[in-house]
Amino acid sequence: MVGNTIVLKPASATTGCGIEIEKMFSKSGVPGGVFQTIVGDSSISEILIDSQDINAVTFTGSVSAGGKVAQRATSQIKKCVLELGGSDPFIVCEDADIEKASTGAVKGRFVNNGQSCIATKRFVVAKDIANEFTEKFVQKTEKLRVGDPLSDDTDLGPVVNASGLRTIDSQVKDSVKEGAEILTGGEQKKSKGYLYKPTILKNITRNMRVAQEEVFGPVASIFVTDTEIEAVRVANGSQYGLGASIWTEDLDKAEKLSRMVHSGIVTVNNVVFSDPRVPFGGVKNSGFGRELSKFGMLEFVNIKSIRFYDQLVHQHHVE
């Protein structure tokens, strides 16, 4: 929208999506070369970042890869924006609408089979309503149908690849060894495909892998807290800070807690989702810079001041 041309290097797991995006730009009538997709391994990214034809870099992916991208871009004195995933908390206060919150929990955790940076990862629930919330959450989760992604009857398809499936399985098994309890799921579905049953865990402690790592699959972890201050402490007890959602009927409380949570986005009484009208991005290891909205566009422009003294006119021009 601000006139930049773009070269997209998709992740190897999403090559097809990257090619389709270029086709969509072409069909929309955008001139050739304005948006191009390049397919290749990580060495292609290094060549692009080093190229004199590239002025800025934006990256979505892991913390380790994001660090390398930022290091390479800044060594070339090039602006970069990083969106590095998250472990989003879902805080349920004692005055929340339990029916809506439990429905939101299913949507927030299992969107795209849990493979979303802004999918809810950790559920932080007030002690007084924890049993009711958990019961409804489990009941609704067990109604989800896992299977062929091309079938209209399927709610959850496979995770992205065998490596992703192994990681999820090991995160769950390691946490169970540490004392976590499986309420539903907790294993692969015995059929063709990288299918993992939608899983809910309780008795989670901060040192468990499901509490510390980004869980990129259909696994929910429930933390029970005595106070709202403790809930915020648990929510902030992560290396990530992308999104968070807070469920309460008290909007003054919601604003107070929202300001205390360390994240780039807070959604009240709904799950976190990106919206072109609102800036999107994180803090801590979730990255820096913003996408979408005016703020996203201003990340990759030069704000140039032009001053005409003889006419006493001051202009600020964005290019």
Side-chain angles (χ1 to χ4, degrees):
M1 291 178 74
V2 297
N4 293 329
T5 55
I6 297 167
V7 177
L8 171 65
K9 191 276 173 194
S12 58
T14 60
T15 300
C17 295
I19 292 169
E20 287 301 315
I21 293 170
E22 181 177 341
K23 288 180 183 176
M24 289 163 64
F25 272 89
S26 297
K27 285 179 183 175
S28 72
V30 170
V34 169
F35 186 102
Q36 299 176 79
T37 296
I38 292 184
V39 176
D41 60 20
S42 59
S43 64
I44 298 291
S45 302
E46 295 170 1
I47 293 168
L48 288 170
I49 294 171
D50 292 347
S51 169
Q52 291 186 351
D53 294 322
I54 300 293
N55 293 314
V57 181
T58 180
F59 173 80
T60 301
S62 69
V63 174
S64 58
K68 292 173 184 174
V69 167
Q71 192 172 29
R72 197 163 194 116
T74 53
S75 72
Q76 304 284 332
I77 323 298
K78 293 179 181 179
K79 176 76 181 287
C80 69
V81 167
L82 302 178
E83 198 269 88
L84 306 179
S87 185
D88 287 12
F90 183 107
I91 299 173
V92 187
C93 300
E94 60 183 23
D95 62 346
D97 183 319
I98 307 299
E99 187 62 35
K100 288 181 181 176
S102 56
T103 297
V106 175
K107 180 181 177 183
R109 174 62 281 210
F110 300 116
V111 60
N112 199 35
N113 207 7
Q115 300 171 116
S116 167
C117 49
I118 49 172
T120 299
K121 309 296 197 307
R122 299 173 296 135
F123 295 83
V124 187
V125 188
K127 185 177 180 181
D128 289 350
I129 50 91
N131 288 341
E132 183 185 356
F133 170 83
T134 300
E135 188 178 316
K136 287 181 180 292
F137 186 18
V138 170
Q139 285 174 354
K140 293 173 183 179
T141 296
E142 289 180 338
K143 291 178 181 175
L144 296 173
R145 291 158 300 194
V146 182
D148 181 354
L150 299 179
S151 169
D152 290 341
D153 295 329
T154 298
D155 296 307
L156 297 183
V159 295
V160 64
N161 53 31
S163 173
L165 186 64
R166 284 194 298 270
T167 299
I168 295 159
D169 195 44
S170 68
Q171 286 172 323
V172 171
K173 284 177 177 171
D174 288 355
S175 298
V176 169
K177 284 178 188 174
E178 296 286 325
E181 181 184 336
I182 297 171
L183 297 178
T184 186
E187 61 183 2
Q188 296 172 227
K189 185 175 170 66
K190 292 175 175 60
S191 62
K192 183 182 177 183
Y194 305 129
L195 301 171
Y196 198 84
K197 293 180 180 178
T199 299
I200 300 176
L201 305 174
K202 73 171 186 176
N203 298 339
I204 306 298
T205 56
R206 186 173 173 177
N207 61 332
M208 292 178 183
R209 287 182 64 193
V210 292
Q212 288 301 318
E213 299 175 8
E214 180 176 29
V215 183
F216 218 62
V219 179
S221 299
I222 297 178
F223 300 75
V224 177
T225 54
D226 291 322
T227 66
E228 284 155 8
I229 297 301
E230 185 188 354
V232 171
R233 195 181 79 247
V234 170
N236 290 342
S238 164
Q239 62 174 309
Y240 297 103
L242 186 56
S245 55
I246 297 173
W247 297 75
T248 173
E249 299 289 274
D250 183 340
L251 295 187
D252 289 332
K253 180 200 293 182
E255 182 175 0
K256 175 188 165 191
L257 296 178
S258 295
R259 292 179 182 276
M260 295 168 69
V261 171
H262 300 158
S263 67
I265 313 159
V266 179
T267 303
V268 177
N269 293 332
N270 204 342
V271 297
V272 176
F273 57 92
S274 58
D275 183 318
R277 299 167 296 182
V278 179
F280 176 86
V283 297
K284 300 196 287 189
N285 278 3
S286 287
F288 52 73
R290 291 295 178 266
E291 302 168 354
L292 306 180
S293 81
K294 177 182 76 172
F295 295 94
M297 285 189 275
L298 290 176
E299 289 285 3
F300 292 121
V301 298
N302 172 41
I303 299 172
K304 179 189 291 183
S305 297
I306 303 173
R307 308 179 75 177
F308 294 84
Y309 277 98
D310 55 340
Q311 295 164 312
L312 297 177
V313 173
H314 299 271
Q315 291 188 6
H316 294 275
H317 180 60
V318 175
E319 63 180 25

